[in-house]
Amino acid sequence: MNDTAYAAFHRASIEAPEAFWGREAARIDWHVPYERVLAYEAPPFRQWFAGGHTNLCHNAVDRHLANRADQPALVYVSSETGAEQVYSYRMLYEEVARFAAILQAQGVKKGDRVLIYMPMLPEAVFAMLATVRLGAVHSVVFGGFASASLAARIEDAAPVVMVTADAGVRGSRVIPYKPLVDEALRLAGTRAPARVIVVNRGLAEAPMMKPGRDLDYATLRQAHLDDRAAVEWVESSHPSYILYTSGTTGKPKGVERDTGGYAVALAASMEYIYGGRPGECFFSTSDIGWVVGHSYIVYGPLIAGMSTLVYEGLPTRPDPGIWWQLVERYRVTVMFSAPTAVRVLRKQDPDWLHRHDLSSLRALFLAGEPLDEPTARWIADELGVPVIDNYWQTETGWPMLTLCRGVADLPVKYGSPGLPVYGYDVRLFDERTGEEVGPGQKGVIGVLPPLPPGCMSTVWRQDQRFLDTYFSLFPDRLVYSSFDWGIRDEDGYFTILGRTDDVINVAGHRLGTREIEEAVSSHGAIAEVAVVGVADTLKGQVPQAFAVVRDASVLADPASRARLEAEVMAQVAAQLGAIANPARVYFVSQLPKTRSGKVLRRSIQALAEGRDPGDLTTLDDPAGLDQIRQALSDVAASQP
Ligand code: AMP
C-alpha cells in the first residue's frame, strides 16, 4: 500500500467507525458478544462494544494457554539487583491467578480499587493483571512520586487494598518505599486502604509492618499456593484502570479507561503501528507507572501473544550497552523508548551499540516528548532500522499521531510524529475563532468525537470535569482538546509545538507546574511562587522556580539564601518526588503580573530561556519583570 492507501484506511475509520472497529473487535475474546459496536447517545461520552462482556486479564494471559503456554510471556531483568527470570505464559497465569486469589481473600471485588505503588518488579505486573482479572480497577502510581502525590491519589481512588514493596533501586541507590507509603497513608486518613500488601525484596531495613494492616506478600503467596481466582467477566465499558495525570490545576486527574475498547485498540495497534508478531519479544523501557508502561509493557504485548521485557535499571548501567545486550539475548524485534534516553546514550561511546547482534530488531519507537531531528537521525543511523515517533497522551492510551507502517510504507520525516492514526479525526483549530487552520498555520490540536476505542472514558467519578477540561475549547461545538499546539505541512504531517497549558515535560515525564508551586509555597518562608519549564538539551525541559520570600532579610546573606534554596528543594522532593524538583529556585521580591493579578508565566519562561518576554500589554508593573531579569543574571554571574 502507498500513502493514498493509508489515507483511504484512515478515512474509512472516520467515516464508518462501526464497520471499522467491528472488524478489529474480532482480535480479542468476547465472553458475551457485543450488541452494538458504538453506543453514542450522550456525546462526547461513548461506549465501545456495548453489551459485550470480556476481561483484560483473560485476553492477556489465559487466552494464550491453549497455544503458547510454554512460550516466554514476561522476561524480567534488573540490572540493579542482578535478577533475571523468564516466566512462560503458564507461569504467568499461575502467578496472576494466585495473586488474584490473594486479593480476593482480602475482600477485593468487581469495581473495587487496588492501588499499586511499586518499582519495576514482576509482582507489579502480576498485581495489575490480578486486579483486572477480578473486575477490580487498578491505579498504578509511579514509584518516583513521594508521599503527598501518593496521598492525593489514594484520597481520590479510595482503594480497598494497596500493593507496594520495601524499596526501589536506582543507580545502586536503595530508595525505601515503606516509610513514604506510611506517611501517605497517614495523610490519606479515612480514604486509606484497610490492607497493604508488601513485597519484601530484602533491600531496605526490614520495613515496619503495622499489625492488622500490612501483610507480607511471600507469606500470603505461600498460604495461597494452590489457590487460583477465576476470571470475572465484565461489561466492555467497565473501568479497567485509573491513571492520574497532571493538568492545569494542582489536583491530578484520574484518567479512566474501559475494558473492551482498550483491549481492541491495543490489539490493533500491535499490528498496524508496531508490527509486533506473536512469539516475538517486545521491549519497552518505560515504567509501569506511566501510560506507555500500561499499554506497551503490560497489556499490548501480552494481548498480542508476545513476550514483554520488563527492565529495572538505567540505560547506562552496568554499562551503556545494557539495552543492546538485552536486545541480542532475547531477540527483541520491537523496541519502545523515549527521546531523553536516546540523548543520554548519544553521549556515550557509540561502540556500545555495535558490540551486540541487533539483527532481530525491526524498529524503534520513541514517544512522550518531542523527538528532535539530530537525536532521531543519530539513533536511526546507528541501529540501521526505522525510528518512529509516536505522539500521544495518558488520555488517549495509544498513539494519536504516527506512521502506521503496518498499513502502508509511509516515509519518515524527522521532527514530525507523522499523520493522524486511524480512529482519530485530528484537526487544528484557531484558538480564538474556532476555525480550522490550513497547512503551515499553528493551531490547537483537537480531535472530533467520538474518541476511538482505548481513549479515556471520563475523569474518575467526575464526568463534569471531563467535559469542562477536555471539551470546552469552543462553546458551540464538541472538540477534544489535546492542550498541545501543532502545525501541519502540505502532506498532512504534524509537528508538535508545545503545550497550551501549564504542563511541562521533563525527560518525557508530564508534570503540572501548579503542583510544584503548591509544594514550594508550602515552605513557610515562601509567600508566592511561579514555576515554569525551561528548555534543557538533555531532558527537553526542567522546572525552575521563581519565589517571593516573606522576609527579604533572609536573602541578604548568600549562605542563608543557599540554605533556603536547598530547603525548598528538599520540600518538593519529599512531597512530590525528585523528578519534580526545580533545577533552581530564584528569589525575587515580586512576580510579573497582569493588571488582573495573573502571573505572566510565559514571559518568565521566555526570559529564563534567554528569549524576548513577548506581549507585555497586560503587564501591571515592569518591576516584576526586572526582578526576574536581575535574579537570572545574578545567578548566571555567580556560576563558575
Ligand atoms: P503523557 O500524558 O505523560 O503521555 O504526556 C503527553 C504529552 O507529552 C503530550 O500532550 C505532549 O505534550 C507530549 N508528547 C507526547 N508524545 C510526544 C511526541 N511524540 N512529540 C511531542 N510531544 C509529545
Side-chain angles (χ1 to χ4, degrees), residues 199-360:
V199 177
N200 193 348
R201 313 171 76 186
L203 288 176
E205 244 174 65
M208 190 282 289
M209 300 287 276
K210 185 172 170 191
R213 186 195 69 185
D214 298 348
L215 304 163
D216 174 62
Y217 174 66
T219 312
L220 289 174
R221 188 178 177 280
Q222 201 53 39
H224 291 272
L225 210 53
D226 298 322
D227 297 346
R228 306 284 179 270
V231 159
E232 171 87 25
W233 300 104
V234 297
E235 308 74 24
S236 178
S237 59
H238 182 74
S240 56
Y241 67 76
I242 313 167
L243 182 55
Y244 288 89
T245 191
S246 304
T248 300
T249 63
K251 246 183 160 344
K253 291 182 291 267
V255 166
E256 178 182 322
R257 193 96 59 215
D258 74 350
T259 299
Y262 186 50
V264 170
L266 293 183
S269 74
M270 291 309 291
E271 176 182 339
Y272 296 141
I273 299 177
Y274 300 102
R277 299 175 199 139
E280 296 180 347
C281 185
F282 192 103
F283 179 18
S284 166
T285 70
S286 183
D287 186 285
I288 48 140
W290 306 113
V291 69
V292 177
H294 283 65
S295 293
Y296 296 111
I297 292 178
V298 183
Y299 294 112
L302 294 177
I303 287 172
M306 300 181 78
S307 56
T308 180
L309 181 55
V310 177
Y311 175 71
E312 177 184 54
L314 300 174
T316 47
R317 288 170 69 100
D319 61 57
I322 178 66
W323 283 0
W324 316 117
Q325 190 186 322
L326 295 175
V327 168
E328 174 175 358
R329 190 173 325 148
Y330 294 103
R331 307 295 299 158
V332 172
T333 57
V334 186
M335 196 166 161
F336 194 142
S337 192
T340 293
V342 177
R343 287 193 288 264
V344 167
L345 291 175
R346 197 177 168 205
K347 287 179 176 280
Q348 318 288 330
D349 181 352
D351 199 41
W352 285 110
L353 266 143
H354 306 144
R355 290 184 195 177
H356 300 282
D357 172 9
L358 306 182
S359 57
S360 59

Side-chain angles (χ1 to χ4, degrees), residues 291 368-370 389-394 484 496 499 505 510:
V291 69
E369 54 179 317
D389 189 357
N390 279 184
Y391 163 84
W392 49 298
Q393 315 178 295
T394 305
D484 281 302
I496 312 301
R499 295 280 303 193
N505 196 314
R510 171 167 162 185

Side-chain angles (χ1 to χ4, degrees), residues 115-174:
L115 194 136
I116 300 172
Y117 180 75
M118 290 277 267
M120 289 292 282
L121 284 180
E123 287 81 2
V125 179
F126 304 158
M128 291 168 76
L129 290 164
T131 302
V132 295
R133 185 175 190 82
L134 300 177
V137 179
H138 59 68
S139 168
V140 181
V141 177
F142 175 57
F145 283 130
S147 48
S149 300
L150 179 56
R153 286 153 176 81
I154 295 173
E155 278 167 37
D156 193 69
V160 171
V161 168
M162 178 166 173
V163 183
T164 188
D166 58 339
V169 216
R170 198 170 162 76
S172 297
R173 201 167 61 87
V174 172

Side-chain angles (χ1 to χ4, degrees), residues 442-464:
K442 177 176 168 175
V444 180
I445 301 177
V447 182
L448 296 191
L451 294 175
C455 289
M456 72 189 292
S457 327
T458 186
V459 173
W460 174 250
R461 301 262 160 103
Q462 294 183 69
D463 286 348
Q464 192 58 44

